[in-house]
Amino acid sequence: MPVLSSLRILVLLALALPGLSACGVDAEQAALCRKLIPAFEPHAERVRVLAEATDPQEPRAVTIRYHAGEAEHWIRCRFAGRGFDADRHAVEEVATDTMGALTPMQLTMLRVWAGLPPPRDAAPSPSSRPVEPSPWTPLLFALQQAVNAITVGCVYGLLAIGYTLVYGILGQINLAMGELTMLGAMMTAMASAGLAMGGMQGTAPALLAVLATVMLFTAVQGWAMDRLVFRRFRALRTHTPLIAAVGLTVLYQEGTRLLHGARDWWPAPVFSTRHELVSAGGFTVTALTSQALIVGLTGALYALLWWIMHRTALGRAHRACADDVGAAALLGVDVNRTVALTFAIGGAYAAAAGYVIALYYGGVNFFTGYLVGFKALAAAVVGGIGSVPGAMLGGALLGLFETFWSGYFAIAYKDVVAFGLLAAFLIFRPNGLMGRERSRGD
């Protein structure tokens, strides 16, 4: 009798398993869906799951409602199978209340980020189906690299202006200029988070207000650098100002790390609409709205600087001091005021570069300005340090060179080649493309 009772229980369980597998939430699928939440929430430690449910209309889908910060959100994951299916762990669709349904490319990147397998029998996307080869594809690929290089060149050019303005008037290099870019990027990222909380992240007036605030703050930092540090060493013809600049670099880096931590800030991208420019042979050249706005911003800032240097008393004083500080002082130019304002303008333009880095690239931290600063210095040297047009030209050339190298060769050697280019210019053309020979300073 006990044996018959056990057999009867096993038969009933076998008959009930199909029905049980079709109801309730699959614990493993829910766990996989929860694993994706940190990809959409920067503060994963503050996420609290409220409820998990299976869609009655789609048993393969799991919806999770959770609380993050001050708001409630949801994520919906649809799997390729359920119950005992082989693909029950393969995510084939993800949607959230903030982004809607993810595109195939976004879903692929999410799978790679989370280490999830794709569905084994997933139909190929239209972009992965074979297309007729076109002789224009190599040319279109090169055009896409040129489009991508525009933004990089703008970042290097804006920061190179900061280096070249200070060198042009003092004959000294302020290595701490890259840290002003870091400050601009960090402030932009924090302001972007505040705008997102208020629902104003993508509004042009709010973003312009952030840009003005960031540039004003770093302009004050640049002015303070000269007033408190570099003015005291102005009469020296040693490497003391350069060593002081290295000290300022460490001060800004470590101060930012201690105040804000070593975490990366990832502001949500703005104006990220993608536009197709030209297509042939299955390859499409695209550009983002943000790229066009960055080019416009860089052009406007360059035009503003040209107007300051050629149409204002400050510009005339700057050019006089760049030619001969002693003679300018004898003619009544306030050298201290001119140099301090030059540091302020250079700091503001460095912050504009950080603004672009934060909103276009993201991932900013206390170390952001270090490598970018040295690359911008390389751009200034290539273009001719001391020349504002040369700074923009050097930034554009370095951006093109770096981007095309990454597109056609091993990306791991990108920085090696960039600084190798700097070394070559220092050896064979030390004054750069548009620079002039200097006889004073470091």
Side-chain angles (χ1 to χ4, degrees):
M1 289 298 295
V3 175
L4 292 177
S5 299
S6 299
L7 290 175
R8 188 178 297 110
I9 292 173
L10 290 175
V11 171
L12 292 175
L13 286 175
L15 294 175
L17 277 176
L20 291 173
S21 64
C23 63
V25 178
D26 188 308
E28 294 184 3
Q29 290 183 343
L32 290 173
C33 196
R34 287 196 304 271
K35 183 180 179 181
L36 304 180
I37 294 177
F40 306 95
E41 296 294 339
H43 303 287
E45 68 280 359
R46 297 164 56 185
V47 170
R48 180 166 54 89
V49 175
L50 301 176
E52 300 172 349
T54 300
D55 191 338
Q57 304 298 325
E58 178 53 82
R60 295 181 299 166
V62 175
T63 301
I64 298 177
R65 292 192 301 108
Y66 63 91
H67 197 274
E70 301 297 328
E72 182 178 319
H73 301 284
W74 58 263
I75 182 172
R76 181 179 184 273
C77 306
R78 192 181 72 190
F79 294 85
R82 62 191 180 95
F84 300 105
D85 295 342
D87 282 345
R88 59 188 295 263
H89 294 153
V91 180
E92 63 178 12
E93 182 183 281
V94 174
T96 69
D97 60 321
T98 56
M99 298 183 61
L102 269 61
T103 65
M105 179 59 70
Q106 291 172 330
L107 184 58
T108 300
M109 295 176 65
L110 183 64
R111 287 197 194 101
V112 173
W113 174 83
L116 300 179
R120 292 186 302 176
D121 300 326
S125 61
S127 58
S128 65
R129 291 170 184 162
V131 296
E132 292 295 328
S134 170
W136 296 102
T137 300
L139 180 61
L140 294 182
F141 180 77
L143 179 60
Q144 182 67 70
Q145 300 309 311
V147 172
N148 296 338
I150 291 175
T151 309
V152 183
C154 288
V155 171
Y156 292 155
L158 288 172
L159 181 50
I161 285 177
Y163 282 110
T164 206
L165 285 175
V166 173
Y167 185 86
I169 199 170
L170 291 181
Q172 298 171 349
I173 296 175
N174 180 12
L175 290 179
M177 197 64 69
E179 307 320 307
L180 297 184
T181 296
M182 178 269 294
L183 288 181
M186 291 287 288
M187 289 185 63
T188 301
M190 290 185 284
S192 177
L195 292 177
M197 293 174 61
M200 298 185 297
Q201 186 179 16
T203 59
L207 293 175
L208 288 175
V210 170
L211 174 63
T213 303
V214 167
M215 292 181 68
L216 178 62
F217 178 82
T218 49
V220 173
Q221 294 294 317
W223 176 87
M225 279 185 183
D226 173 68
R227 183 65 183 84
L228 301 177
V229 179
F230 288 96
R231 183 177 297 184
R232 302 175 184 272
F233 305 134
R234 194 168 298 161
L236 300 178
R237 289 295 172 257
T238 67
H239 292 291
T240 302
L242 191 64
I243 296 172
V246 174
L248 285 174
T249 298
V250 177
L251 173 66
Y252 276 109
Q253 284 183 2
E254 288 302 298
T256 304
R257 182 182 67 84
L258 293 174
L259 287 174
H260 300 286
R263 54 159 294 194
D264 289 347
W265 289 74
W266 290 91
V270 294
F271 302 113
S272 55
T273 304
R274 188 174 298 275
H275 307 278
E276 295 186 2
L277 303 181
V278 62
S279 178
F283 188 91
T284 302
V285 179
T286 62
L288 302 178
T289 303
S290 56
Q291 289 178 304
L293 294 176
I294 290 169
V295 174
L297 172 65
T298 304
L301 290 176
Y302 178 78
L304 175 62
L305 184 61
W306 183 93
W307 178 81
I308 291 174
M309 291 299 167
H310 292 84
R311 295 291 187 268
T312 66
L314 172 61
R316 290 190 292 271
H318 175 91
R319 287 183 282 123
C321 292
D323 289 336
D324 193 315
V325 173
L330 289 174
L331 293 173
V333 174
D334 189 340
V335 175
N336 287 336
R337 176 179 177 272
T338 303
V339 173
L341 290 177
T342 299
F343 267 83
I345 294 173
Y349 276 68
Y355 177 86
V356 172
I357 291 173
L359 292 182
Y360 184 77
Y361 294 103
V364 298
N365 55 40
F366 74 100
F367 208 63
T368 295
Y370 185 75
L371 186 58
V372 173
F374 277 110
K375 287 185 178 180
L377 178 59
V381 171
V382 169
I385 192 165
S387 168
V388 173
M392 295 303 299
L393 176 61
L397 290 177
L398 184 60
L400 283 169
F401 191 84
E402 188 176 279
T403 304
F404 272 84
W405 180 275
S406 302
Y408 289 95
F409 305 102
I411 193 173
Y413 295 93
K414 176 185 65 174
D415 295 337
V416 175
V417 175
F419 288 108
L421 177 65
L422 170 63
F425 264 85
L426 288 175
I427 294 170
F428 299 106
R429 195 179 178 91
N431 296 323
L433 297 174
M434 301 180 67
R436 58 179 181 173
E437 189 172 354
R438 308 283 299 206
S439 59
R440 58 187 175 88
D442 288 340

